[in-house]
Amino acid sequence: MYGGVCTARVKGTPQGGPLSPLLSNILLNELDMELTRRGHNFCRYADDSNIYVRSRRAGERVFKSIAHFVERKLKLKVNYKKSAVARPWKRTFLGLSFTSHKKSRIRVPEETLKKGRARLKALFRKGRGRNIGRFIKEDLNPVLIGWINYFRISETKGFAEDLDGWIRRRLRAIIWRQWKRPWTRLRNLMKQGLPEKRAVMSAFNGRGAWWNSGRSHMNFAFPKKYFANLGLVSVLDRLICF
């Protein structure tokens, strides 16, 4: 679509269609055969490929040689901005990476987490005026389930614990904003079991929603169990390695 007008395609294939990966495998089959012939350990998915060697010097030599093969033999362009010779744990492959231990484990890198949080932030902005229970079930959970179903093979759990805590804090911030007035906040905090003196100090502290959502009064009023009872999906609970 150009300028709001639908235009017929004259080249390329639709993104996400079944034809693209088929053509990719047909074309890059020669690359797989060449890497196998050379005895390299490698992993390729569509046009994204990792080749594993023992040293940086070997990596630089193989990178130069394979780039030459791809450009001269296959007549394709190598994206040098996204390509590099580096340790496996410094690279991201299909949104995943590895730890730097002697026996490496699959992990979710910070770059992937930033993209996931950015998507969730946009979702939380839409949920500010929604009933929190319906927002969790109808909007938040489907996104979380789809995301974790892809990354659930991670063999580290720190990212999941942090993400679960961050999600609950975002939900507490929505609740704080929905209360709007200090007197409403006082009344609702007391309903959640907060002592009157503490509730008064919390409701009239003059701080913003994000600050309050991470403080003990909101954690006491809306603990992890509260959101679990509303049906909130836990990223940590869905990891298959734990």
Side-chain angles (χ1 to χ4, degrees):
M1 182 174 285
Y2 296 95
V5 179
C6 290
T7 307
R9 293 187 190 90
V10 293
K11 62 179 180 179
T13 58
Q15 186 174 5
L19 185 58
S20 296
L22 176 61
L23 292 176
S24 174
N25 284 331
I26 291 172
L27 191 59
L28 293 176
N29 183 59
E30 284 191 60
L31 174 61
D32 296 343
M33 299 294 288
E34 180 66 15
L35 291 171
T36 302
R37 186 184 67 78
R38 297 186 187 190
H40 292 312
N41 292 317
F42 69 96
C43 184
R44 181 180 68 80
Y45 185 89
D47 62 342
D48 197 354
S49 182
N50 277 9
I51 305 169
Y52 302 99
V53 294
R54 292 185 178 273
S55 66
R56 172 169 284 276
R57 182 178 294 180
E60 291 171 348
R61 184 181 68 251
V62 170
F63 178 77
K64 184 177 180 180
S65 174
I66 292 300
H68 183 271
F69 175 85
V70 169
E71 292 182 329
R72 295 294 180 88
K73 176 73 173 178
L74 303 182
K75 309 299 182 184
L76 300 172
K77 291 182 180 180
V78 175
N79 189 334
Y80 288 97
K81 290 183 179 180
K82 292 185 178 180
S83 304
V85 177
R87 298 284 192 181
W89 53 87
K90 292 184 178 180
R91 301 294 293 169
T92 299
F93 183 61
L94 304 179
L96 292 162
S97 189
F98 302 95
T99 63
S100 58
H101 301 98
K102 187 174 183 180
K103 186 178 179 181
S104 62
R105 295 180 294 168
I106 300 170
R107 68 180 180 89
V108 179
E110 188 60 33
E111 178 186 344
T112 299
L113 289 172
K114 285 181 179 178
K115 290 179 181 178
R117 289 191 181 198
R119 183 183 176 189
L120 288 172
K121 279 182 182 179
L123 190 64
F124 284 123
R125 282 194 290 271
K126 294 179 181 178
R128 289 180 182 179
R130 299 280 308 281
N131 172 276
I132 204 74
R134 286 201 297 270
F135 170 69
I136 287 172
K137 291 179 180 178
E138 297 173 7
D139 298 270
L140 184 56
N141 276 351
V143 173
L144 288 177
I145 291 170
W147 192 87
I148 196 56
N149 280 348
Y150 182 86
F151 294 105
R152 64 198 303 232
I153 63 170
S154 172
E155 296 174 310
T156 61
K157 63 178 182 179
F159 84 95
E161 293 172 331
D162 291 343
L163 187 58
D164 278 340
W166 180 83
I167 289 169
R168 289 193 295 270
R169 185 173 179 181
R170 284 280 169 185
L171 291 170
R172 292 186 188 107
I174 290 176
I175 293 170
W176 187 265
R177 284 192 178 94
Q178 288 178 346
W179 288 346
K180 295 182 181 180
R181 300 176 187 277
W183 287 104
T184 305
R185 290 165 182 165
L186 171 61
R187 184 172 62 254
N188 288 328
L189 285 172
M190 291 178 65
K191 280 183 181 178
Q192 294 301 119
L194 218 65
E196 184 177 357
K197 184 177 179 181
R198 188 180 175 192
V200 170
M201 292 176 62
S202 302
F204 291 89
N205 61 37
R207 300 278 191 156
W210 183 244
W211 187 89
N212 278 283
S213 66
R215 293 303 177 269
S216 60
H217 54 275
M218 286 298 282
N219 278 272
F220 178 89
F222 301 98
K224 179 181 178 181
K225 186 178 179 180
Y226 174 85
F227 295 109
N229 289 337
L230 290 179
L232 178 64
V233 168
S234 169
V235 176
L236 179 61
D237 290 347
R238 286 181 173 256
L239 291 182
I240 62 176
C241 298
F242 297 95

